[in-house]
Amino acid sequence: MGVLLQGLITFQAEAESALSTDNLNGCLLALLSSAFIGASFIIKKKGLKRAGASGARAGSGGYTYLLEPLWWTGMLTMIVGECANFVAYVFAPAVLVTPLGALSIIVSAVLAHFMLKETLHKMGMLGCLMCIVGSTIIVIHAPQERSIDSVTEIWYLATRPAFLCYTIAVIAIVLVLTLHFVPHCGHTNVLVYTGICSLMGSITVMSIKAIGIAIKLTLEGTNQLVYPATWFFSMVAITCVIMQLNYLNKALDTFNTAVVSPIYYVMFTTLTIVASVIMFKDWDGQSASDIVSEICGFITVLSGTIILHVTKDSDKTTST
């Protein structure tokens, strides 16, 4: 009994330590963001279906969905979610914010079950529960946000050899996927479209975080708009977001939502955490037990998304 009580006290102390004011704000914003983004998947999917019934489908290279009001409703919902996510990255590290996107999988899977008639099996419900448990573990053991005083400091972090190598690797892989794999197997392998989205997404998050910090510092009285790095990060973010939206639309129009959402989440989250650890060194100063706990929580979330994937409605999907 004494051991159990001591364990509860330790758990509470760790939770209070991890959830500083900034981390708590980032956590709440990330959860709100995931709810909006998860709903936007379904609204956009319905819009794509409606547009595809009267014109060329997005998966076939068509853009008639741009004339569909329902698709734009989904886009606005996603923008609200992304704005909340944008602010969340200002308050908390990517290692905390990004895995909480698991909620978007749960929201999209449940809504797809009721609105799109895409079956959510009992094992899929178990996967949702695992995502929640894993996310909770990550929140408790998340590192504190690194203190940054200028966008030039972020530029220094982004131009170190380790992150430059990561960026070059991402660009090379995206070019190979776009030029070779998209024409040959883009319509039969969900990993092609989601892979492009995820790779570009990891760069997007790093750029968005830099822009968010620059805006925060500017509002506090230290103007960061005079630095070219601020505008460079802005251009990178805009370019990456456009590519993400294009290939995400193709993925949603071609494959089952219950497949696209989990796979996109797994790949995007993994790559974003890797990019953040390389660029911002999120794990520096953390104990080995905290890092292991975060990894275990992340693996739990990944396992949950895999369960959602393998219990998909097989008669509505293409083999991956």
Side-chain angles (χ1 to χ4, degrees):
M1 185 67 180
V3 175
L4 178 60
L5 180 60
Q6 182 63 36
L8 290 174
I9 294 173
T10 302
F11 177 85
Q12 182 180 5
E14 290 179 345
E16 292 175 351
S17 175
L19 288 179
S20 64
T21 302
D22 282 349
N23 273 15
L24 179 59
N25 290 335
C27 177
L28 293 176
L29 286 166
L31 292 175
L32 180 65
S33 164
S34 296
F36 275 97
I37 292 174
S40 74
F41 272 104
I42 306 306
I43 300 172
K44 288 173 64 179
K45 178 79 171 184
K46 290 181 72 68
L48 288 169
K49 282 188 173 183
R50 184 179 295 179
S54 58
R57 297 177 57 186
S60 302
Y63 293 94
T64 55
Y65 61 85
L66 294 176
L67 303 176
E68 175 54 53
L70 189 59
W71 183 86
W72 281 107
T73 301
M75 178 59 66
L76 290 175
T77 305
M78 175 172 280
I79 290 173
V80 172
E82 292 295 350
C83 288
N85 203 42
F86 173 85
V87 180
Y89 279 112
V90 175
F91 288 102
V95 173
L96 168 60
V97 175
T98 308
L100 293 181
L103 177 60
S104 67
I105 301 173
I106 299 173
V107 172
S108 63
V110 172
L111 291 180
H113 176 73
F114 291 104
M115 298 178 64
L116 301 179
K117 307 304 179 184
E118 296 178 359
T119 304
L120 177 63
H121 301 280
K122 291 183 178 179
M123 288 299 292
M125 297 179 187
L126 174 62
C128 292
L129 178 61
M130 292 179 68
C131 289
I132 294 173
V133 172
S135 296
T136 302
I137 295 173
I138 292 171
V139 168
I140 292 173
H141 296 279
Q144 300 299 319
E145 174 69 328
R146 176 177 182 151
S147 177
I148 294 178
D149 301 319
S150 170
V151 73
T152 56
E153 185 178 344
I154 304 176
W155 178 258
Y156 168 74
L157 296 173
T159 53
R160 286 187 301 188
F163 190 73
L164 284 177
C165 289
Y166 176 83
T167 303
I168 293 171
V170 166
I171 294 173
I173 295 172
V174 167
L175 287 175
V176 171
L177 288 173
T178 304
L179 299 177
H180 178 73
F181 288 97
V182 167
H184 291 87
C185 55
H187 294 282
T188 59
N189 193 328
V190 69
L191 296 178
V192 176
Y193 291 148
T194 54
I196 295 173
C197 292
S198 303
L199 287 163
M200 299 306 294
S202 66
I203 302 297
T204 301
V205 170
M206 299 302 103
S207 300
I208 288 294
K209 188 172 180 67
I211 297 167
I213 293 173
I215 293 175
K216 180 184 177 183
L217 291 173
T218 299
L219 293 176
E220 291 175 349
T222 307
N223 188 8
Q224 301 296 307
L225 301 181
V226 298
Y227 297 109
T230 302
W231 301 104
F232 177 81
F233 285 127
S234 299
M235 292 302 300
V236 171
I238 292 171
T239 302
C240 292
V241 166
I242 291 173
M243 285 194 65
Q244 280 182 264
L245 289 176
N246 182 41
Y247 285 101
L248 182 58
N249 284 328
K250 292 178 183 293
L252 287 172
D253 194 44
T254 307
F255 303 97
N256 191 317
T257 306
V259 177
V260 174
S261 297
I263 293 179
Y264 176 54
Y265 169 77
V266 170
M267 297 177 69
F268 170 73
T269 304
T270 302
L271 290 168
T272 299
I273 289 177
V274 170
S276 183
V277 168
I278 293 174
M279 180 172 173
F280 290 100
K281 297 188 177 297
D282 291 330
W283 286 342
D284 280 12
Q286 275 202 295
S287 65
S289 61
D290 280 333
I291 295 175
V292 170
S293 296
E294 289 174 50
I295 294 174
C296 290
F298 183 50
I299 291 174
T300 302
V301 173
L302 294 187
S303 301
T305 57
I306 290 172
I307 289 176
L308 281 170
H309 170 50
V310 300
T311 57
K312 65 183 181 293
D313 193 355
S314 59
D315 63 347
K316 291 185 180 180
T317 61
T318 309
S319 172
T320 60

